[in-house]
Amino acid sequence: MDSVITVEHLTKDYGEGRGIFDLSFEVKKGETFGFVGTNGSGKTTTIRHIMGFLKAQSGQVTVLGLDAWKDSPEIKKYVEYVPGEIAFPDLRDGTTFLKAQAELLGLKDTNRINYLVEKLQLDTSANLKRMSKGMKQKTAIVAAFMADKDILILDEPSTGLDPLMRETFIELLQEEKSKGKTIFMSSQMFDELEDVCDRVALIFDGRIIDIADMSEINNLPYKTFKVEFTTREDYLKFKRLKYEIVRDQEKYNQVTIKVYDKNLNRLFDTLKNYTLKFIAEVKYNLEKHFKEVLAKEYARLDAIKKEEEAHPKPQEELTRTEQKQIKREHKKEEKKENQSEKNEKFFNKPKVKAEKKEIKTHKKEAKKAEKQEKKEVDNV
Amino acid sequence: MFSKALFKQSMKANWVKWVSVTLSTCVMLAIVIIVLGNLGINDIRDSLKDVFTQADQESYLKENAVDGYELYLTSIELEGTLQSLDADMAQTAYGILINQYNTNKESYKTENNLEELDETALEEIRRDTATSIVTNPLIWGGITSQLGVSISQEQGIDFVMEIYRVYDNPVYTTSPTEPDFLTKFQNILRTSFLNYVYTSAYELNLSQEGSNDESATYSAEKMEELITNAMASYQVPEGEFDRTPYKESAMTGINNMLYDVTNYTYYNQLIAGGMEEEEATSTAEQYAVVVKVLSNTAISTYELWLDELGDVEGAQEQARTEACASITDQIPEKVSEALSELGNMDIYSLIIGSIFYRIAGLLLPMVFVIMTANGLLAGQVDSGSMAYVLSTPTKRRTVTVTQMTYLIVSLFAMFALLTVTSVIAVWISGGNSFAINYGQILLFNLGAFLTMFAIAGFCFMCSALFNRAKYSLGVGGGITIFSLVCTILGLFGSSVVPSAMRISAMNFFNYLSVITLYDTVSIMSGTLSYLWKFGILLAIGVVTFIIGGFRFDKKDLPL
């Protein structure tokens, strides 16, 4: 399969840790790629790069082999886009807007628009400014989908939709997917990503920390069950059997066990002889998966922090602003030195003053370093 | 490079603004031109101007009367001198004059290798000789003291030249040795004097407004006649010459002469102006009476002042000045200057040019441009609605070109309508006879359009540079409104405000405003300095539009 969207080492640094850093992934033809992350983690920034609205600081984004920044207008021939922030042009109502959009796209056939409007139950005669969030979202979806192009880029497309409408929207997405379209969508709703996506990337603080394959998550070779026994004896007896216990809650006579599919029958055979209060399958889903990944990530970050506490930062890892400050100080010193040298040449004066100054600046630096250390400690 | 769909969208988004701004500006302009035109705001100016012209005319008339009166009396005295001329004296004086003249003629002939002298050459020799004689204090002083008349150098030159002219005339050719030389010489002098009077009266009348050859000839003939009569009325006095007995006849003579001349001249002017004969006669008579009264007053005042000042040197001159003083000479100089400036000020061009076209008429289009320019790019980027345009295969360049085309076209349409309105309004107010003619009103509109073009370019550039509407509005709109406010403040220091109200330090504000390049004063006064200023405005617009266009291509958009 050809890759439709390729993102390679994409970096956009907005300073103070914000932005996206060294992002790499690719979306293959016909694939539905989900993009999930907390607020401000860089989802929209990535999408804006793909759309060619932002220029990459480093790295490259290509769509269908075309550079996303340089060939942006060419790419748009194949791309439909639902922006994350819905704001319409200054036009009267939905109909006017959709007509204007169709004109910009050069569309003459209104069948698809009518189909979409009907499907989403959209009232296009409503005033654009007075529309509710859901209605605006629906209008934006119609505006994007009406061109029937091959690539869909959707930035949180289901926000504001009521649960029923979200169902309809997912249906619509699946319809598009069945036509072989490539979909790239960001969302905060795990369930809708689970329903549509083939792969989902998790972005955290501007970095992709995991790309999950939905087929792997859905088709795990094992299941997890929570079992609670009525009597203490049964509970203890069961524990002695060789089942893999994930979680043990003695207080409630409860165990959570992991069972490979091939062993399922054996489990139920065993359980015939026990009095159960209940048995329930604990579903393993995307949300759970990412929670686990995130927990690991947090742990890793904690470890790094602790490490830093123990051993102060080496200079290479100082943040940009700190580096700049140091550079500035260096320059100042250089200037002073140069001047004092010149002075010497011209006036033959002893170097005492310059030396004093140097001593002073050294002291200052030492103080500053101390302060910075203190701050870091406080922050931690 | 151009998207029709986007253009339509911009039109739909901005047409309400456009219509309201255009209509209200048109109405404002029509009111300014038509209503104020019919109110006759220039009446004050005209009446002030009348006062000043009348005062000038009056003063001129009085001077004429007094001068004529003096001339009358002098001519009688001259006649007395002529009659008492000593033959030897006359021979000597005439001899000096003629010898010099003949010598010069001969040397001119040899110098230029000429056999005969034509009239222009003769006139040149006459002037040179007369000048050399009159400016030589020894010769001229001798002659005048012998003759007993005081003549100024200028008059003297004219007089001597006249003597030469008469001498060249074969009728008067005479030689000092002839037995009746004295009588002939007297005649020559008399004729020369009368010729001189005739010529100066002719020229004086011709220099007046509305005069022509006919009236000048009439006036000169009248004057000659009067002086001839005056000289004839001379009676040999017992003892010294005394002018007192002739004063009354001098006054009456001059008064009547001025009456006749005015009546004749004015009547002819009125007839030429298309007035009925009967009406013209009575009007001219009335005016002539006024002139007669004025002349009478001036001469009486002159006599009174002469009595008052005594017969000291310079008394005559002062008496003349006092008698001829007009209203304007009597008020303090500064006030008189301010008043005359007010009289010369064109309130129409001030209100229409400097106030309407540079301030009031620009305000609403400015608001339109600030809001529209912001809404065309920065507003849509800030709200995010630009995403819908840019998610279609529309290039950014297409967006900027389309949007700037919309801005320029809408401005052009606005000023086209404004031009039509102003031309109609001027037509209603009297067309080219109105204070502002068609050419000027068209230039006013062109200038206003170019000013707005420059401002639109600047606002568009701001809109393209900033992603935030508040910065685009703040910088683009802020500086634009700042310019307008500076123009309002600068108005109080500019030359269009009368000096009595002007605070020249305020002119500093004009240097801070781009609207200063829209030079309505230059358009009104007909100088061409507005042309290069128009060029600068055009250049500002073009450059800022281009900068905006290129910048928008290359920047990050938060969509």
Side-chain angles (χ1 to χ4, degrees):
Chain A
M1 266 194 275
D2 315 324
S3 83
V4 174
I5 302 171
T6 323
V7 176
E8 284 167 335
H9 309 293
L10 177 63
T11 299
K12 185 90 176 180
D13 190 353
Y14 287 124
E16 292 167 44
R18 269 174 287 169
I20 48 177
F21 306 95
D22 200 26
L23 232 57
S24 295
F25 62 86
E26 59 174 12
V27 182
K28 297 200 170 73
K29 192 172 183 341
E31 186 182 31
T32 304
F33 193 89
F35 207 47
V36 72
T38 50
N39 293 324
S41 54
K43 296 189 296 280
T44 304
T45 307
T46 313
I47 290 176
R48 282 173 183 168
H49 276 99
I50 298 172
M51 288 300 290
F53 297 148
L54 299 182
K55 191 177 182 185
Q57 259 167 12
S58 66
Q60 208 192 8
V61 182
T62 52
V63 178
L64 295 168
L66 297 164
D67 187 286
W69 171 258
K70 280 183 206 148
D71 305 315
S72 171
E74 178 67 21
I75 289 169
K76 303 294 166 50
K77 286 180 187 165
Y78 312 100
V79 172
E80 297 171 353
Y81 176 50
V82 175
E85 216 171 293
I86 306 292
F88 296 121
D90 194 2
L91 293 171
R92 204 176 54 243
D93 53 33
T95 319
T96 328
F97 169 62
L98 290 177
K99 267 189 191 163
Q101 201 62 19
E103 209 170 330
L104 273 172
L105 288 163
L107 291 182
K108 298 223 168 75
D109 188 12
T110 52
N111 286 340
R112 180 147 170 94
I113 300 177
N114 293 338
Y115 167 74
L116 289 167
V117 166
E118 220 167 283
K119 177 115 187 158
L120 292 170
Q121 295 159 25
L122 179 63
D123 176 15
T124 55
S125 64
N127 186 310
L128 277 177
K129 299 265 158 188
R130 268 180 250 136
M131 279 185 177
S132 69
K133 190 147 180 11
M135 274 178 87
K136 280 186 183 171
Q137 196 69 41
K138 285 197 273 184
T139 312
I141 291 167
V142 175
F145 280 37
M146 64 187 178
D148 209 2
K149 294 188 246 187
D150 291 338
I151 304 167
L152 297 177
I153 293 176
L154 317 170
D155 193 357
E156 301 191 3
S158 62
T159 36
L161 299 182
D162 61 62
L164 282 175
M165 196 43 69
R166 185 171 293 141
E167 286 295 313
T168 321
F169 174 63
I170 287 169
E171 252 174 56
L172 189 65
L173 274 186
Q174 267 154 352
E175 223 171 79
E176 298 297 296
K177 196 181 167 183
S178 67
K179 288 185 196 164
K181 293 187 179 180
T182 311
I183 303 174
F184 180 90
M185 67 185 285
S186 80
S187 180
Q188 287 168 322
M189 310 284 168
F190 288 101
D191 48 354
E192 80 184 21
L193 290 176
E194 267 171 347
D195 289 343
V196 210
C197 292
D198 301 317
R199 284 194 300 154
V200 179
L202 175 66
I203 183 167
F204 178 76
D205 273 356
R207 292 178 177 84
I208 288 183
I209 52 174
D210 189 55
I211 297 181
D213 203 324
M214 277 318 292
S215 58
E216 274 174 27
I217 289 176
N218 287 333
N219 308 317
L220 278 180
Y222 55 83
K223 301 275 179 298
T224 313
F225 293 99
K226 200 183 244 182
V227 188
E228 191 172 321
F229 302 93
T230 353
T231 59
R232 186 105 189 138
E233 293 89 71
D234 281 352
Y235 163 68
L236 293 170
K237 204 170 125 194
F238 183 79
K239 264 178 80 171
R240 277 197 290 276
L241 296 169
K242 278 182 186 168
Y243 285 102
E244 194 183 336
I245 293 172
V246 186
R247 197 166 172 224
D248 186 8
Q249 281 165 298
E250 245 185 289
K251 218 172 156 187
Y252 306 110
N253 300 334
Q254 207 182 74
V255 284
T256 310
I257 48 167
K258 196 166 152 185
V259 185
Y260 281 87
D261 293 353
K262 57 186 177 191
N263 296 335
L264 267 181
N265 282 330
R266 192 166 70 88
L267 175 67
F268 286 107
D269 277 342
T270 327
L271 286 178
K272 265 188 225 159
N273 310 321
Y274 294 80
T275 6
L276 296 183
K277 201 169 189 179
F278 76 82
I279 178 166
E281 189 191 348
V282 181
K283 265 247 170 204
Y284 186 78
N285 56 13
L286 193 64
E287 194 174 351
K288 215 153 195 191
H289 175 76
F290 280 144
K291 267 185 186 164
E292 277 171 19
V293 174
L294 269 181
K296 272 184 212 160
E297 177 71 12
Y298 279 126
R300 194 177 68 85
L301 288 177
D302 273 352
I304 291 173
K305 269 182 190 169
K306 271 178 194 164
E307 184 101 347
E308 273 173 12
E309 256 172 73
H311 313 280
K313 269 184 187 174
Q315 255 201 0
E316 293 86 36
E317 284 182 22
L318 288 176
T319 60
R320 270 186 151 202
T321 43
E322 280 169 336
Q323 279 176 354
K324 272 184 190 169
Q325 218 175 344
I326 289 167
K327 266 188 190 172
R328 248 180 262 149
E329 271 163 25
H330 274 299
K331 270 188 185 172
K332 269 186 194 172
E333 272 174 53
E334 272 173 31
K335 260 192 184 175
K336 276 177 190 169
E337 274 170 30
N338 286 343
Q339 250 181 354
S340 59
E341 269 174 39
K342 276 181 191 171
N343 285 348
E344 253 186 310
K345 275 178 193 169
F346 281 102
F347 306 110
N348 273 332
K349 274 183 184 172
K351 218 180 173 181
V352 184
K353 268 193 177 177
E355 273 172 21
K356 272 188 182 175
K357 270 183 187 174
E358 260 178 59
I359 293 167
K360 267 190 184 176
T361 46
H362 277 301
K363 276 185 183 173
K364 272 186 188 173
E365 265 179 63
K367 273 188 184 177
K368 268 186 187 173
E370 267 178 48
K371 272 186 186 174
Q372 274 178 4
E373 271 182 17
K374 269 187 187 176
K375 264 188 187 175
E376 274 162 30
V377 173
D378 287 350
N379 285 342
V380 171
Chain B
M1 287 295 267
F2 181 80
S3 159
K4 222 171 123 190
L6 187 59
F7 190 83
K8 262 199 213 161
Q9 197 172 311
S10 297
M11 245 163 54
K12 275 181 194 161
N14 294 305
W15 72 271
V16 178
K17 252 183 283 173
W18 187 88
V19 168
S20 59
V21 164
T22 308
L23 283 188
S24 43
T25 310
C26 283
V27 168
M28 218 156 52
L29 179 61
I31 289 174
V32 167
I33 297 181
I34 300 174
V35 178
L36 292 188
N38 290 335
L39 284 179
I41 46 168
N42 265 353
D43 284 359
I44 306 165
R45 174 190 89 124
D46 291 343
S47 60
L48 257 177
K49 212 174 176 178
D50 280 354
V51 168
F52 278 88
T53 359
Q54 271 177 13
D56 282 347
Q57 275 181 349
E58 195 184 310
S59 150
Y60 172 80
L61 229 126
K62 282 176 173 173
E63 267 175 45
N64 265 356
V66 173
D67 285 350
Y69 177 72
E70 264 300 321
L71 187 67
Y72 187 95
L73 292 175
T74 313
S75 67
I76 293 177
E77 205 178 337
L78 180 74
E79 179 62 26
T81 317
L82 285 180
Q83 288 191 17
S84 61
L85 259 185
D86 178 68
D88 291 347
M89 252 297 308
Q91 274 175 14
T92 323
Y94 190 70
I96 293 170
L97 291 178
I98 298 303
N99 277 344
Q100 189 65 38
Y101 182 48
N102 283 333
T103 322
N104 282 1
K105 271 208 268 191
E106 283 310 313
S107 63
Y108 190 91
K109 269 186 195 167
T110 48
E111 255 176 52
N112 294 300
N113 273 334
L114 289 170
E115 283 294 308
E116 288 291 314
L117 292 167
D118 60 350
E119 191 55 28
T120 39
L122 279 174
E123 194 64 9
E124 195 183 317
I125 299 163
R126 279 173 203 148
R127 180 165 295 282
D128 288 345
T129 319
T131 312
S132 72
I133 284 173
V134 172
T135 49
N136 186 330
L138 267 179
I139 302 172
W140 186 244
I143 292 172
T144 44
S145 70
Q146 289 297 338
L147 289 174
V149 273
S150 62
I151 306 176
S152 75
Q153 282 197 351
E154 237 174 274
Q155 283 173 329
I157 292 169
D158 284 344
F159 188 45
V160 173
M161 281 171 73
E162 206 54 59
I163 291 175
Y164 289 148
R165 282 190 201 110
V166 176
Y167 169 78
D168 280 333
N169 190 335
V171 183
Y172 294 104
T173 310
T174 180
S175 120
T177 49
E178 279 172 42
D180 57 345
F181 167 73
L182 189 60
T183 328
K184 277 193 174 176
F185 183 54
Q186 280 171 349
N187 275 334
I188 290 175
L189 287 185
R190 207 176 278 122
T191 318
S192 306
F193 184 68
L194 284 175
N195 280 355
Y196 161 70
V197 167
Y198 183 93
T199 326
S200 35
Y202 180 85
E203 272 163 15
L204 187 70
N205 188 290
L206 206 62
S207 70
Q208 266 182 292
E209 207 181 316
S211 173
N212 52 24
D213 181 60
E214 204 181 334
S215 67
T217 313
Y218 182 80
S219 156
E221 273 168 4
K222 274 280 171 190
M223 191 65 196
E224 195 188 8
E225 187 191 328
L226 184 69
I227 297 299
T228 316
N229 288 341
M231 288 173 105
S233 74
Y234 174 76
Q235 283 163 342
V236 183
E238 302 166 15
E240 280 222 352
F241 172 75
D242 183 16
R243 60 203 291 180
T244 322
Y246 302 99
K247 277 181 184 173
E248 209 184 308
S249 62
M251 200 156 139
T252 328
I254 291 293
N255 287 347
N256 287 337
M257 193 267 307
L258 281 175
Y259 176 86
D260 286 345
V261 171
T262 313
N263 194 0
Y264 178 83
T265 318
Y266 200 47
Y267 174 81
N268 281 346
Q269 277 180 23
L270 288 176
I271 292 292
M275 200 184 254
E276 291 289 318
E277 215 167 298
E278 216 169 297
E279 206 184 344
T281 315
S282 71
T283 317
E285 267 172 12
Q286 271 175 16
Y287 185 58
V289 169
V290 172
V291 169
K292 193 175 173 181
V293 171
L294 265 178
S295 136
N296 199 7
T297 320
I299 295 169
S300 308
T301 320
Y302 174 68
E303 272 300 328
L304 280 175
W305 273 103
L306 265 189
D307 283 352
E308 191 67 28
L309 294 166
D311 208 11
V312 229
E313 213 176 312
Q316 218 175 19
E317 193 52 37
Q318 201 185 335
R320 183 175 170 277
T321 322
E322 295 288 349
C324 302
S326 71
I327 311 171
T328 43
D329 299 326
Q330 287 161 23
I331 44 181
E333 202 180 331
K334 278 215 160 181
V335 179
S336 136
E337 263 175 31
L339 278 176
S340 93
E341 198 189 347
L342 208 61
N344 288 325
M345 189 178 67
D346 191 348
I347 301 176
Y348 248 103
S349 62
L350 172 73
I351 290 186
I352 294 179
S354 296
I355 296 180
F356 180 82
Y357 270 104
R358 292 182 77 206
I359 297 169
L362 289 188
L363 179 62
L364 289 176
M366 260 182 195
V367 171
F368 170 76
V369 161
I370 293 169
M371 289 170 68
T372 310
N374 174 64
L376 288 176
L377 295 176
Q380 294 188 34
V381 171
D382 193 7
S383 76
S385 64
M386 182 65 81
Y388 292 100
V389 179
L390 289 179
S391 61
T392 64
T394 315
K395 282 182 197 145
R396 289 194 193 185
R397 179 66 57 83
T398 311
V399 173
T400 45
V401 168
T402 309
Q403 302 292 49
M404 74 173 76
T405 310
Y406 170 73
L407 193 58
I408 295 168
V409 166
S410 63
L411 260 188
F412 185 81
M414 183 181 289
F415 279 92
L417 268 183
L418 214 56
T419 308
V420 171
T421 312
S422 59
V423 167
I424 293 175
V426 168
W427 176 70
I428 291 172
S429 305
N432 269 331
S433 63
F434 182 56
I436 294 170
N437 60 35
Y438 290 122
Q440 284 164 339
I441 207 80
L442 288 177
L443 281 174
F444 275 166
N445 284 300
L446 176 67
F449 171 70
L450 287 174
T451 313
M452 286 316 300
F453 178 73
I455 290 172
F458 177 71
C459 288
F460 187 83
M461 183 181 77
C462 290
S463 185
L465 289 183
F466 298 108
N467 281 339
R468 291 276 170 171
K470 60 182 176 184
Y471 297 137
S472 150
L473 276 177
V475 177
I479 290 180
T480 306
I481 295 296
F482 173 78
S483 268
L484 188 73
V485 172
C486 280
T487 304
I488 295 173
L489 291 176
L491 183 71
F492 293 99
S494 69
S495 57
V496 292
V497 169
S499 60
M501 286 160 65
R502 192 185 308 151
I503 310 157
S504 49
M506 299 281 263
N507 193 34
F508 169 72
F509 284 105
N510 282 324
Y511 296 110
L512 299 178
S513 167
V514 68
I515 305 170
T516 308
L517 289 169
Y518 175 22
D519 195 346
T520 49
V521 175
S522 160
I523 295 175
M524 273 314 285
S525 60
T527 56
L528 289 176
S529 62
Y530 67 87
L531 275 176
W532 63 265
K533 291 178 184 172
F534 277 10
I536 294 181
L537 284 173
L538 189 68
I540 292 176
V542 170
V543 168
T544 44
F545 268 120
I546 289 176
I547 291 177
F550 277 105
R551 180 66 197 133
F552 192 76
D553 272 358
K554 285 175 188 142
K555 70 169 187 175
D556 283 350
L557 296 172
L559 297 174

